[in-house]
Amino acid sequence: MKIKAHSIVLVASLLGLYSCGNASDTPLSTPTSGNTNISVDESYQPIIESQVNTFEGIYERADIDAAYKPEGEVVKDLLNDSTRIAIISRELTADEVATIKQNQRIPRSTKIAIDAVALITNPNNPDSLLTLDEVKDIFSGRVKDWSELERSTGSGEITIVFDNNNSSTARYVRDSLTTDQKLPQNTFAANSHQALIDYVAQNENALGVIGVNWISDLDDTTAVSFLNRIKVVGISEDPAPLTTGSFYQPYQAYIAQQAYPLRRNLYIISTEGRTGLGTGFASFLGGDQGQRMILKSGLVPATMPVRVIGLRNQ
């Protein structure tokens, strides 16, 4: 009986060694190989798609399956352990951390960029400069028509358009601009960023809310095509600005200098129990190459300074 038992153990060991040495088998998950799925806030699809493609190009045995969803769905994926890597524009709440810990996992959050929420209007809308107070009045429902704005030269009932009811931009507006009030009745969801741009481009009274990543990379043909069809609103924190110089659009330099007010951070959150491919991708995003790609995209990298050059008229 002892001889037979030893034989079984030996065969099992040999099979295990053969399996590990077989190049055709799925590779063990390491920081640069294997496969993993990640869940990503769809506001960041352009930059994360680029990061994934570059990472997989460098590490040929790495396979990252990225799912782009509204922020609420991304957080659900993390809480129910259907993904262990999430990319969102906020840190987890205390209750969310507690839920993850109940599953014997420890969430680790890394800030990888500073982002912004952009407001966009139809090219024919004359009102492309708003104070922060006016923005808050619009999203709280106190201002419902363009003619109600102090410096307005236009008129018509404002239609607020988000990409998705459960999106991070909608959550940002509720949390930061309306003090958790419900959004007004003149608010609608377009269900995609393309549909949002289409609606704003076709409706003069629309006010769209979009993650700046979709319109910030001027080397991206999609971003350029979007910008050709809409106007980006400039915002001033001064309640009574005397000149147009106090209005800022969500350009990279103004985000870095904190002159543009609608800013938010971007995080990658990992619940991996060991150092696997997800951890390797997180390190890539926070490392030199990943941060340079974020810089190129028009967002502000978390660990790389943005060079701001001032030009003077001669």
Side-chain angles (χ1 to χ4, degrees):
M1 292 295 291
K2 289 183 178 179
I3 294 174
K4 185 179 291 186
H6 285 311
S7 298
I8 292 172
V9 171
L10 179 60
V11 170
S13 299
L14 290 172
L15 287 173
L17 288 171
Y18 177 78
S19 177
C20 290
N22 191 339
S24 64
D25 289 340
T26 301
L28 179 69
S29 180
T30 74
T32 58
S33 66
N35 56 70
T36 191
N37 68 299
I38 65 174
S39 196
V40 183
D41 178 349
E42 59 191 3
S43 292
Y44 303 102
Q45 183 171 345
I47 179 59
I48 300 303
E49 274 188 346
S50 180
Q51 296 270 12
V52 168
N53 290 337
T54 300
F55 185 85
E56 290 179 338
I58 296 171
Y59 304 107
E60 295 181 356
R61 300 191 70 190
D63 181 16
I64 297 175
D65 182 16
Y68 301 96
K69 304 178 180 182
E71 180 187 76
E73 297 300 316
V74 174
V75 174
K76 284 181 183 178
D77 286 347
L78 202 61
L79 296 183
N80 64 27
D81 204 27
S82 60
T83 188
R84 293 180 181 174
I85 300 292
I87 299 177
I88 56 176
S89 64
R90 66 173 177 85
E91 298 207 70
L92 297 175
T93 66
D95 287 344
E96 289 164 349
V97 170
T99 298
I100 292 171
K101 287 183 176 180
Q102 287 175 359
N103 294 328
Q104 307 301 312
R105 301 208 166 272
I106 305 297
R108 297 177 300 280
S109 176
T110 303
K111 178 181 170 182
I112 58 174
I114 304 170
D115 175 40
V117 171
L119 304 183
I120 58 175
T121 61
N122 184 278
N124 295 325
N125 189 329
D127 297 316
S128 60
L129 299 177
L130 299 174
T131 67
L132 186 58
D133 286 343
E134 289 173 331
V135 171
K136 292 178 179 179
D137 286 341
I138 290 172
F139 286 117
S140 65
R142 291 188 291 271
V143 168
K144 298 181 179 179
D145 195 288
W146 291 105
S147 62
E148 296 173 31
L149 299 173
E150 185 174 344
R151 291 169 305 282
S152 174
T153 57
S155 63
E157 185 177 353
I158 300 170
T159 302
I160 302 169
V161 189
F162 290 92
D163 54 326
N164 190 292
N165 282 328
N166 206 20
S167 70
S168 60
T169 52
R171 192 265 311 157
Y172 174 87
V173 168
R174 289 193 298 268
D175 289 354
S176 303
L177 300 178
T178 68
T179 59
D180 293 327
Q181 295 178 10
K182 289 184 178 180
L183 294 171
Q185 292 184 344
N186 58 328
T187 303
F188 302 91
N191 294 323
S192 75
H193 291 87
Q194 179 68 60
L196 188 159
I197 294 290
D198 289 344
Y199 187 89
V200 173
Q202 296 166 12
N203 293 271
E204 290 190 15
N205 293 319
L207 178 66
V209 188
I210 192 170
V212 76
N213 183 219
W214 284 93
I215 56 174
S216 59
D217 188 349
L218 298 183
D219 291 329
D220 179 22
T221 55
T222 300
V224 172
S225 68
F226 283 174
L227 283 169
N228 288 337
R229 304 176 61 206
I230 51 89
K231 270 195 306 191
V232 180
V233 174
I235 302 175
S236 173
E237 292 190 88
D238 186 344
L242 298 177
T243 68
T244 58
S246 62
F247 292 87
Y248 297 94
Q249 292 179 309
Y251 296 141
Q252 188 177 58
Y254 297 148
I255 298 171
Q257 293 174 328
Q258 301 185 15
Y260 182 76
L262 306 187
R263 302 180 306 276
R264 58 183 184 173
N265 294 326
L266 179 59
Y267 301 91
I268 184 166
I269 301 171
S270 171
T271 63
E272 278 192 338
R274 57 181 295 278
T275 303
L277 184 58
T279 304
F281 183 60
S283 297
F284 177 81
L285 289 178
D288 180 72
Q289 188 161 359
Q291 290 290 285
R292 288 182 184 277
M293 293 178 67
I294 287 172
L295 181 66
K296 176 187 172 298
S297 77
L299 303 186
V300 178
T303 61
M304 180 180 293
V306 175
R307 186 181 180 191
V308 179
I309 301 174
L311 300 178
R312 294 184 302 173
N313 293 326
Q314 299 297 324

